[in-house]
Amino acid sequence: MHAVIKAIEARQPALSAIRRDLHAHPELAFDERRTSGIVAERLRALGIETHTGIGKTGVVGIIRAGSGARSIALRADMDALPIIERNTFAHASHHPGRMHACGHDGHTTMLLGAAEYLAVQRNFDGTVVLIFQPAEEGEGGAREMLADGLLERFPFEAVYGMHNWPGLPAGSFAVHSGPVMASSDPWYIHLRGRGAHAAMPHQGIDPITAGSGIVQALQTLITRSRDPLEPAVLSVTQFHAGDTDNVIPDRALLAGTVRALTHAMRDKLESEMGRVIQGLAAAHGVQAEFDYQRGYPPTVNAAAEAALCAKVARAVAGEAHVHTDMPPSMGAEDFAFFAEKRPACYVWIGNGPGEDGCMLHNPFYDFNDELLPIGASYWVRLVETALSA
Ligand code: NI
């Protein structure tokens, strides 16, 4: 079924060993010292020009072939999550509280597998920039690499990403044209009332009652003020107030997240949240401070790059195993920072059934090693097609 590159298929046991070693030694955001050390060492052993310390723990490899001036970038993420792994197999995390529960161990290994092949065959014309980025999980490692001069030092005209996707059959692909992942904006509301005895509420100003009203009213922004055909999520995930049963506290903290697929929707929700919060705060007589932060932008695939990726995925996985009609995810991805700078395409590669907890960010998750030669072959064919000799 899969047109996997033979030389890469033969490397499956070696790639699997690398992947399992990374899985056993997970490292959190900007602490990927061992991981980036292994990546840099392997790239150098292949004779690839290697740059370390880009965006703290990021690594960049440069492979040139022919005389072409064109250049593309391939990106893998390297960081793990603060999760206690519950798998008991031999390559389970050796570090309690740290786990590769999002498959970044697999992403790093697939890109290393492609690098091995590209460095030897060089069957393309131009420059490939291999980006091994730190801190995808919330800390914005992509943004950090850009701030460190990634684009100026290693110019590229398009950038590509790949993430495993549990629930999608193993080795199949999903390619979106347009939005593929949502923005992720954290927000905080600090309410200040007046503390009082719980038996004499009229002597105080209750931030809990006000906060409850705000929680309810925020939900109406999604049901009443958003175009129902435009996806958006507004989740309240924290509500902290009070310490005991007979005191009305003087403060409350509410926090949560907004997810959207367009900047216009982020702008709209930010401004309408502010209006609702201040209106309700005034109605209840509390002071409200609203802090809406811009987190990861939406990840939007460019049409031409998405068409190219779909074509390459079909060549590798077969026509029937490439889906171009899947809805986007309301999860977020800091690949979006790269996609804001250059035309980009971020694809999903099926990780197989998500049974027994094998879902992203689940303590029973594991990357499916079957994907290693498929994903590495996809990277190679993408380079050979985009930079065809
Ligand atoms: Ni991930």
Side-chain angles (χ1 to χ4, degrees):
M1 166 189 102
H2 286 94
V4 167
I5 296 168
K6 289 275 173 286
I8 294 181
E9 199 165 34
R11 294 283 295 152
Q12 162 89 46
L15 293 175
S16 185
I18 295 169
R19 206 284 296 178
R20 290 176 181 215
D21 173 68
L22 295 177
H23 190 94
H25 302 93
E27 295 173 303
L28 301 182
F30 296 123
D31 202 29
E32 307 91 339
R33 285 172 241 278
R34 181 183 184 275
T35 309
S36 61
I38 288 169
V39 166
E41 189 184 309
R42 297 200 74 88
L43 295 180
R44 286 188 178 120
L46 293 162
I48 296 173
E49 177 188 325
T50 302
H51 303 262
T52 58
I54 317 289
K56 298 181 184 161
T57 40
V59 179
V60 172
I62 307 290
I63 311 177
R64 293 189 184 86
S67 55
R70 301 192 55 205
S71 173
I72 63 168
L74 313 180
R75 174 273 209 170
D77 39 15
M78 302 189 291
D79 57 320
L81 285 154
I83 291 178
I84 298 173
E85 179 157 6
R86 296 185 65 193
N87 290 310
T88 52
F89 44 59
H91 63 278
S93 174
H94 292 188
H95 303 284
R98 309 201 308 245
M99 176 183 176
H100 269 297
C102 203
H104 300 184
D105 48 347
H107 304 163
T108 298
T109 308
M110 290 191 292
L111 192 53
L112 284 174
E116 286 181 1
Y117 184 92
L118 291 168
V120 174
Q121 300 297 330
R122 302 196 192 233
N123 186 21
F124 61 92
D125 185 30
T127 303
V128 179
V129 179
L130 305 168
I131 301 173
F132 292 89
Q133 81 147 78
E136 191 287 318
E137 299 287 358
E139 305 285 327
R143 188 174 42 203
E144 208 67 36
M145 291 186 87
L146 289 167
D148 224 352
L150 180 78
L151 276 173
E152 296 73 24
R153 294 170 67 184
F154 317 105
F156 49 85
E157 61 197 50
V159 57
Y160 298 91
M162 172 160 47
H163 204 292
N164 78 96
W165 209 254
L168 198 61
S172 60
F173 286 83
V175 185
H176 301 72
S177 187
V180 49
M181 305 290 287
S183 55
S184 169
D185 294 339
W187 52 262
Y188 304 86
I189 304 168
H190 299 272
L191 297 179
R192 191 174 210 159
R194 186 165 68 231
H197 195 297
M200 292 154 229
H202 58 290
Q203 293 178 350
I205 301 173
D206 184 356
I208 295 181
T209 313
S212 305
I214 289 171
V215 170
Q216 297 294 329
L218 289 178
Q219 297 308 313
T220 66
L221 295 180
I222 297 299
T223 62
R224 302 294 81 188
S225 119
R226 171 192 61 109
D227 179 338
L229 298 179
E230 282 185 42
V233 180
L234 196 173
S235 289
V236 180
T237 59
Q238 298 184 59
F239 192 152
H240 303 286
D243 297 299
T244 186
D245 60 289
N246 61 353
V247 175
I248 290 169
D250 64 345
R251 281 150 208 257
L253 167 71
L254 284 74
T257 186
V258 163
R259 306 296 173 104
L261 299 182
T262 64
H263 294 299
M265 181 61 78
R266 301 167 91 185
D267 293 344
K268 177 182 167 72
L269 285 171
E270 177 179 2
S271 99
E272 295 194 356
M273 285 177 77
R275 180 172 51 78
V276 163
I277 291 161
Q278 293 306 340
L280 271 151
H284 286 268
V286 301
Q287 302 285 321
E289 192 190 302
F290 178 42
D291 175 19
Y292 185 102
Q293 299 181 2
R294 297 285 167 143
Y296 292 179
T299 301
V300 183
N301 287 343
E305 281 65 25
L308 175 72
C309 289
K311 180 177 136 184
V312 170
R314 286 190 188 102
V316 172
E319 192 82 26
H321 305 288
V322 178
H323 309 278
T324 54
D325 54 357
M326 282 184 66
S329 164
M330 297 310 281
E333 204 355 296
D334 86 339
F335 180 79
F337 291 112
F338 296 134
E340 282 195 328
K341 299 287 184 192
R342 291 291 180 270
C345 183
Y346 172 90
V347 303
W348 297 342
I349 181 169
N351 198 55
E355 281 156 16
D356 302 321
C358 192
M359 298 299 290
L360 299 177
H361 297 207
N362 184 291
F364 288 105
Y365 170 84
D366 194 29
F367 182 86
N368 184 346
D369 281 340
E370 272 178 55
L371 312 189
L372 294 170
I374 303 168
S377 296
Y378 164 81
W379 279 138
V380 168
R381 294 303 186 219
L382 179 59
V383 168
E384 293 177 348
T385 309
L387 302 176
S388 62

